[in-house]
């Protein structure tokens, strides 16, 4: 999940995996940097068309316009979609997902097996994966990564839910990893955790404050090598020619951040960028304007995200200490249900998304059919303004002479809603909510902010636009609503999405995690979605399509996920960027092992990926390197 942050403070330094320099979160005066970076003709990483770039042996560059900047380059801390996507490029995972149909395929591990009681898992680590400093990647690196997450709270920040049930992790040999569990765990072939090099990361003093962004190149073993970064300006990676799956084709990619999405679309038209992902997708008007344009292809496929309204159920810590300023009326389930019954999802899909979305219901998008859930007819909170008004009456909030809902204390019912300033959908939907809830007699003040992290983490909100990208295995996105995800102290960044803590939900979560039978586990996941729906803490309004566009005169071909119809940006893997083929006859350089271990499905195993330069520009202001929830884009 993405939470923007402007803390305005520097944190202590620590050694850098890139080569031992002192790493730190730091303040950056972004306005001047961004303005200079956009100046035509400057020889900067942001200008691939400059004389400097042209002289670089005619390297091929793919330029991508995005609406999100990096929260952290540490795989232990990164939660935003752009950041976790970069982690997938930098570091190999034990397993990967096939691009064709999401089934699990080998990654750093070539194969795996479980004991009869399913409590001991053994992974064979491939021998042909090298760190970019020349050392071999081994089981010891994986064991160190998991053990650090098990024993260091800072290292568990982003992905700690995967190791909570781990009892012991060892590396009996360089090619064998053994994980012992406390109880069965169904996610053992879907541990979405980047494996880092022990010999580099063991030098870091404090993983909770280390951003992995000081000295380059950063040592990694993924398809790309991180070679440079400037906060809210750019992340620069190059092709890893020694990547075991095969060498990339594009030498560089530039990801640029455009706060004004129309400007990003204009840049695509002019050929200044190769690809536009939007924030989080192109608007219907933008997509329509690009369809049929010369040398431009629009990709419109089923997305992996949901788009929702989140309520503040009362911010609290793990030990029950309450904080924040959430409206206490939202603790009443009837009030929450009334608000959601006054939301017309069909109108939102038809008028805001103009058909480029599916009406929402369950927590898992329909793209993941095994886990997708719909409420029963008598359970569904249908659009029913009269029914919503009746619920508010029953909850004790009746209209006064001015048509305003008031409680027993005479205070009008009015809410504050967090809105992402860069997401046009938030602004559009908020106008409908103000109208619909206004008819109920409920007031709504919408705060569209660049930085929504501070009020969100502090619990200083009543409602918020929310959204997550869901992985093929839904465990992570389910875990963020457990009591265990709550912060340890008030206003601390934690794994929780919006402070939900429900015992029935937690019991179901534990059961699904321990269930190895796919059908039985899917049923438990659906029960969790049903519980989340009934409590009314989350209202999933829509499942937006992945609407993107790219220039065919710059990109000859690129892999979607799923292959038949899916997204390009923000995949569960690196297939899109790894597979991208430059237009204009660039050499392929395919390797014999490019198609090994199932590849990515289809023919992508024979394709070559890219070297990457990720560039993210922000218009102005001072920003802190660790941030979350800046847009409705989220953790992968």
């Amino acid at each position: 999940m993405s939470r923007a942050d402007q803390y305005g403070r520097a944190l202590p330094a620590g050694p850098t995996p890139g080569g031992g320099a002192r790493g730190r979160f730091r303040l950056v005066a972004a306005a001047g940097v961004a303005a200079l970076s956009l100046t035509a003709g400057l020889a900067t990483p942001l200008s691939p068309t400059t004389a400097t770039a042209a002289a670089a042996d005619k390297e091929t560059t793919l330029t991508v316009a995005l609406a999100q900047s990096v929260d952290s380059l540490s795989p232990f801390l990164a939660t935003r979609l752009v950041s976790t996507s970069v982690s997938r490029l930098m570091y190999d995972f034990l397993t990967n997902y096939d691009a064709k149909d999401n089934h699990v395929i080998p990654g750093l591990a070539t194969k795996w097996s479980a004991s009869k009681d399913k409590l001991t898992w053994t992974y064979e680590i491939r021998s042909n994966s090298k760190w970019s400093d020349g050392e071999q990647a081994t089981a010891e690196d994986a064991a160190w990564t998991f053990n650090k997450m098990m024993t260091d709270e800072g290292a568990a920040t982003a992905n700690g839910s995967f190791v909570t049930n781990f009892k012991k992790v060892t590396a009996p040999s360089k090619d064998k990893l053994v994980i012992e569990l406390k109880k069965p765990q169904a996610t053992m072939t879907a541990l979405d955790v980047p494996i880092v090099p022990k010999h580099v990361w063991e030098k870091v003093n404090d993983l909770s404050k280390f951003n992995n962004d000081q000295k380059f190149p950063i040592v990694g073993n993924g398809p790309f090598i991180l070679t440079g970064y400037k906060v809210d300006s750019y992340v620069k990676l190059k092709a890893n020619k020694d990547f075991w799956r095969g060498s990339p084709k594009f030498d560089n990619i530039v990801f640029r951040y455009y706060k004004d999405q129309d400007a990003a679309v204009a840049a695509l038209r002019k050929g200044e960028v190769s690809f536009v992902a939007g924030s989080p997708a192109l608007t219907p008007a933008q997509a329509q304007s690009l369809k049929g344009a010369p040398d431009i292809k629009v990709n419109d496929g089923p997305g992996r995200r949901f788009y929702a309204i989140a309520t503040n159920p009362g911010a609290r810590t793990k030990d029950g200490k309450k904080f924040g300023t959430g409206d206490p009326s939202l603790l009443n389930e009837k009030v929450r249900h009334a608000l959601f019954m006054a939301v017309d999802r069909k109108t939102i899909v038809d008028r805001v998304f103009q058909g480029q979305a599916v009406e929402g219901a369950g927590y898992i998008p329909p793209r993941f059919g095994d886990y997708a859930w719909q409420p029963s007819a008598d359970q569904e909170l249908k659009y029913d303004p009269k029914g919503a008004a009746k619920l508010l009456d029953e909850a004790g909030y009746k209209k006064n002479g001015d048509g305003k809902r008031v409680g027993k204390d005479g205070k009008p019912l009015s809410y504050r809603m967090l809105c992402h300033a860069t997401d046009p959908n938030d602004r559009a939907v908020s106008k409908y909510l103000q109208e619909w809830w206004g008819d109920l007699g409920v007031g709504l003040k919408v705060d569209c902010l660049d930085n929504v992290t501070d009020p969100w983490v502090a619990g200083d909100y009543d409602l918020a636009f929310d959204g997550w990208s869901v992985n093929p295995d839904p465990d992570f996105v389910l875990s963020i609503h457990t009591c265990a995800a709550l912060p340890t102290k008030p206003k601390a960044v934690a794994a929780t999405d919006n402070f939900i803590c429900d015992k029935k939900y937690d019991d179901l979560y534990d059961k699904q995690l321990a269930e190895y039978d796919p059908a039985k586990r899917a049923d438990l996941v659906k029960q969790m979605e049903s519980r989340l729906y009934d409590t009314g803490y989350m209202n999933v309004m829509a499942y937006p399509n992945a609407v993107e566009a790219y220039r065919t005169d710059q990109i000859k071909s690129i892999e979607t996920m799923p292959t038949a119809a899916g997204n390009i940006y923000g995949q569960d893997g690196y297939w899109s960027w790894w597979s991208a083929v430059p237009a204009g006859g660039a050499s392929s350089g395919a390797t014999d092992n490019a198609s090994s271990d199932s590849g990515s499905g289809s023919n992508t195993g024979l394709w070559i990926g890219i070297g990457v330069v990720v560039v993210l520009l922000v218009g102005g202001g001072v920003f802190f390197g660790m941030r979350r929830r800046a847009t409705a884009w989220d953790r992968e």
Side-chain angles (χ1 to χ4, degrees), residues 399-404:
K399 284 187 176 181
N400 62 13
D402 296 326
K404 305 294 184 183

Side-chain angles (χ1 to χ4, degrees), residues 19 26 32 36 112 121 191 206 266 270 283 335 337 386 448 477 540 598 602 615:
R26 63 196 186 283
L36 289 173
W112 44 87
W121 286 74
L191 298 173
D206 189 346
K270 291 184 286 187
T283 66
V335 173
H337 282 184
K386 291 183 179 180
C448 290
V477 80
V540 177
S598 299
S602 187
V615 180

Side-chain angles (χ1 to χ4, degrees), residues 16 20 49 83 194 215 220 250 350 370 470 517 565 587 612:
T16 300
T49 57
S83 308
K215 187 166 182 179
F250 269 103
D350 291 346
D370 290 343
V470 179
D517 182 277
S587 60
V612 182

Side-chain angles (χ1 to χ4, degrees), residues 11 60 98 168 185 200 215 236 239 242 290 292 300 321-322 371-372 382 438 446 508 530 537 540 563 604 633:
L11 293 178
T60 53
D98 188 275
K168 184 179 181 182
Q185 180 170 326
V200 174
K215 187 166 182 179
K236 182 179 180 180
D242 296 323
L290 292 173
D300 183 352
K321 185 175 182 179
K322 297 179 181 179
Y371 300 110
K382 297 179 181 179
V446 181
L508 288 168
S530 179
Y537 293 124
V540 177
T563 303
T604 56
W633 287 33

Side-chain angles (χ1 to χ4, degrees), residues 179-193:
I179 300 178
E180 297 178 37
L181 303 174
K182 301 172 186 176
K183 56 185 177 181
Q185 180 170 326
T187 61
M188 297 308 291
T189 60
L191 298 173
D192 293 326
V193 176

Side-chain angles (χ1 to χ4, degrees), residues 254-269:
V254 177
F255 289 82
R256 290 182 178 171
Y257 175 78
Y258 286 83
K259 189 172 184 179
D260 183 344
Q261 189 162 298
D262 285 331
V265 172
L268 183 75
R269 287 182 175 278

Side-chain angles (χ1 to χ4, degrees), residues 193-221:
V193 176
I195 303 302
V196 302
K198 173 187 176 183
H199 67 283
V200 174
W201 281 83
E202 64 184 355
K203 301 173 185 176
V204 178
N205 294 325
D206 189 346
L207 287 174
S208 69
K209 300 174 181 179
F210 176 65
N211 209 31
N212 197 24
D213 67 348
Q214 291 301 295
K215 187 166 182 179
F216 304 94
I218 302 296
V219 177
N221 66 336

